[in-house]
Amino acid sequence: MGDFVSVIRPNAGEKKEEPQSKRVVPVLPVRDTVLFPHAVLPLTVGRESSIQLIQSLGEEKTIVVVAQRDARNDTPQPSDLFETGTLATVHKVVKMPNQSLFVFTEGNERVRLANFTQLQPFMMAEVESQPEPEPEKTSELEAMQRNVVSQFQQVVQASPTLSDDLQTIALNIDDSGRLADFVGSSLPFLTTQDKQELLETNDIAERLERLNKHLVKEAEVQALRNKIQSEVQDSVQQSQREYYLREQMKAIQKELGDADDTQKDIQELKEKIDAAGMPEEVKKDALKELGRLQRMSPMAADYSLTRNYVEWLAVLPWAKTSGGEVDIKKAEGILNEDHYGLKKVKERILDYLAVRRLKPDMKGPILCFVGPPGVGKTSLGRSIAKALGRKFSRISLGGMHDEAEIRGHRRTYIGALPGQIIQHLKRVEVKDPVFMLDEIDKLGRDFRGDPASALLETLDPEQNNTFRDNYLDQPFDLSKVLFIATANQLDTIPGPLLDRMEIIELTGYTEEEKVNIAQRYLVPRQAKENGLEEGQLEIPTESVAIVARHYTREAGVRRLEQLVGTIARKTARKIAEGSAEKVVVTTEVVQEFLGGFKVRVDTEIAERTKRAGVAVGLAWTPVGGDILFIEANKMKGKGHFHITGQIGDVMKESMQAAMTWVRSNAVSLGLDEDVLKDIDVHLHVPAGAIPKDGPSAGVTMATAIVSLLTDKPVRPLLAMTGEITLSGNVLPVGGIKEKFLAAKRAGVKDVILPVDVKTNVDEDLTKDQTDGMTIHYARRIEDVLAIALPSNQKEAQIDEALREAVVSQESALTA
């Protein structure tokens, strides 16, 4: 009926009365409890039948306490009880608040249950006394008794739960039977079965023997337990010491008010992971790492590394997007407002937006803007993001030569970080931004890897939906990112990378376009940046045109903006000094602020083509198109051919081919076939410090040589481009738009192009760009010569008059 504490009365006298050999006594069944003779045991009585039994006791307070075979049985029958019990006297009954009774009983003697005379409302049975035979006082019994006392003392000393008073009581008991009962009732580790067996053993020597075995076994178990505890204590002593010190440190920090609440930190990270919307596999790995972090000590070496890794996983925008419904008309308005011209580029962007509207889950294209500096490639990317309503981020690739900058370092490295792609995604906090990969043509490579090759996966719409950064080592979907790369030239971009991008060419601006851009954007911006209020600076269109024509020679408008900035600063100085309230920038003011004309456009071509043997070619450079002078001269000699001007192998071969064609066609050109017999020809390309190569100046070289040998100056304000074959065919070349615009900037009025590039001209050049210029198409070199050289004296006189008019007009302007 519950746990008990038994007390033996060592000095109890003789029994007051001899018990009857057979009598009927109420039977009290108890669970997990065995009452020994001479032991006082408090019992909790809760069963209805047991309560009625206690309440029915009159003057005769004698009952039999018997243990149940199965403690779980609530209504035990006679067969469910052990046959041996203890006759006991009830000394005191206390009623508990929960209606149960607390009964103090004292065991008197062992009895055996015979016939049950009553089962309801409680059991009564006949009991037979089990007298203990008086043992013979032998040395063996004495030794056994001492051994039991000694073992019992040892067990009590080693046990933290047993009172030391039990040793004293045991030493004061002389009676062997009573000693055995006391020790048996005092050992908590004995099972109900063990105690029942001790109770049923009448022979005292056998009882002591059985008890001795239990005590020896318990002593061994305790010794083993102490040994294990000692070993464990030694092994954890150091870590325990560190733990206590850390806990003390935490307590001190908390008292000082700067406690690092690690658990709060872990909880915040878990909330971030739950809210991140990451894929199940990634979330599983993140929670696994978080579990590791929770088990680690904050002082551990790997703690900060693991925490940084988990935090990176938690803060990435796995599911957060920024782009909403696309308004194509609004986007078109934004693009037109921010950028002048660039029709082809705007059309491509609006096409993308239209598809995006019809198919929201489309993969982002990889666009590559190619063009000279200053034409607005980077700012166009910003406008696209604005038109889309998306976040914008620019990654500068110029000079990057470490693969880990793109794909990140592995976590094993000290100071490891994710690559630029993941870092910028964290900054913009959405998974569908516009990423501008600036200067993709200027990627380097060295022993640390090849970043261009690392970009292959990033810039492939078929692969980048499972982009793996080395640091994260988890797949991230980049397919919603709109990547826009910029480059000045395509030659340095590896073929596989170029193949993944859609090339959109941004060519240079004409003078009219530059003037418009300056009036719309550059002048207001520079005025504002230099502290000028509206109306304090006025630059008429004519003055902007003079700055664009005579102070810059560029495809873009960056240098033009710098010059406008110079004018704005000098205007600000005049206003600050009080010498003017408003400045109108006339031609004279331009020359005052910027100095004399830096670029002689029209006169340069007109003057240099005065003499025979000079032709104007068109060249393509990474910074846009440019004009290229080819000069030929002759001297007495033996038919040698000299070429100079820091030219590459391809251009040298073009010169040789042009010379061979001229010599083989001397008669048809009206020359003596032995014209080169007594002279040497020298072909030179000025600007000798600039490396020049490429096949597009073949027709220009042939024209220069024919002009020299026939003594006919090339027509003024004429330029040409095209490759020549030995048989005299004119082959197409690239960069037509850049070359054409360079010719227009230089004041050229007539352009000779290969007939095969007519399609490029029709597609790439607008009517505004071709206005004021005449385009001649040539299939053979004879067509070129017919246009470039005067066919009679009258044409030569007209050319000379035009040349003089251009030179004199320019002189009047600069005077």
Side-chain angles (χ1 to χ4, degrees), residues 777-810:
Y777 294 105
R779 195 176 297 278
R780 290 187 52 77
I781 187 65
E782 288 89 349
D783 303 337
V784 176
L785 296 174
I787 300 163
L789 301 176
S791 57
N792 53 50
Q793 189 64 30
K794 186 179 179 183
E795 285 186 8
Q797 289 173 351
I798 293 171
D799 291 346
E800 188 61 32
L802 177 60
R803 191 175 283 115
E804 289 299 328
V806 170
V807 172
S808 59
Q809 182 185 355
E810 193 74 22

Side-chain angles (χ1 to χ4, degrees), residues 32 78 125 146 190 194 223 253 394 453 485 495 530-531 598 623 679:
D32 293 331
R146 288 185 185 178
L190 290 181
D194 293 338
Q253 285 177 333
R394 190 180 71 86
S453 299
N530 289 287
K598 304 294 187 290
V623 295
I679 60 171

Side-chain angles (χ1 to χ4, degrees), residues 369-424:
F369 295 160
V370 182
V375 295
K377 297 185 296 296
T378 306
S379 61
L380 189 60
R382 209 176 293 274
S383 295
I384 290 168
K386 185 176 164 188
L388 282 166
R390 293 207 213 168
K391 297 282 188 75
F392 175 81
S393 188
R394 190 180 71 86
I395 304 173
S396 179
L397 301 180
M400 189 182 288
H401 46 73
D402 188 352
E403 179 199 344
E405 289 285 339
I406 303 292
R407 296 257 288 273
H409 302 83
R410 302 202 180 277
R411 287 168 61 198
T412 49
Y413 293 109
I414 293 172
L417 277 174
Q420 291 290 334
I421 303 290
I422 297 295
Q423 287 190 39
H424 281 259

Side-chain angles (χ1 to χ4, degrees), residues 526-672:
Q526 286 301 321
K528 185 179 178 183
E529 285 184 6
N530 289 287
L532 297 174
E533 294 178 5
E534 193 175 343
Q536 289 185 324
L537 173 65
E538 183 183 327
I539 309 181
T541 306
E542 300 76 25
S543 300
V544 177
I546 287 172
V547 175
R549 185 184 309 138
H550 293 291
Y551 291 89
T552 68
R553 179 179 276 178
E554 58 173 349
V557 292
R558 190 168 284 143
R559 175 67 182 153
L560 178 59
E561 183 169 11
Q562 291 169 359
L563 293 171
V564 171
T566 302
I567 293 172
R569 283 191 294 277
K570 291 190 178 295
T571 301
R573 182 177 168 188
K574 278 185 177 294
I575 292 171
E577 288 173 347
S579 58
E581 291 183 3
K582 176 184 178 180
V583 174
V584 178
V585 182
T586 60
T587 306
E588 293 76 19
V589 175
V590 169
Q591 292 191 340
E592 179 193 340
F593 285 174
L594 301 180
F597 289 177
K598 304 294 187 290
V599 179
R600 293 167 58 237
V601 185
D602 302 343
T603 53
E604 186 175 22
I605 297 177
E607 283 184 359
R608 291 178 72 167
T609 56
K610 267 184 182 180
R611 55 172 292 274
V614 180
V616 182
L618 296 173
W620 180 91
T621 69
V623 295
D626 204 354
I627 59 171
L628 187 72
F629 289 96
I630 308 282
E631 295 186 352
N633 213 336
K634 61 185 179 181
M635 65 210 96
K636 275 189 176 182
K638 297 182 179 180
H640 290 247
F641 183 47
H642 305 282
I643 47 181
T644 55
Q646 197 176 348
I647 48 185
D649 292 339
V650 176
M651 205 162 184
K652 284 179 184 175
E653 290 169 4
S654 288
M655 288 179 166
Q656 295 285 358
M659 191 64 186
T660 301
W661 183 86
V662 171
R663 291 183 67 177
S664 64
N665 291 275
V667 176
S668 63
L669 292 170
L671 300 170
D672 184 357

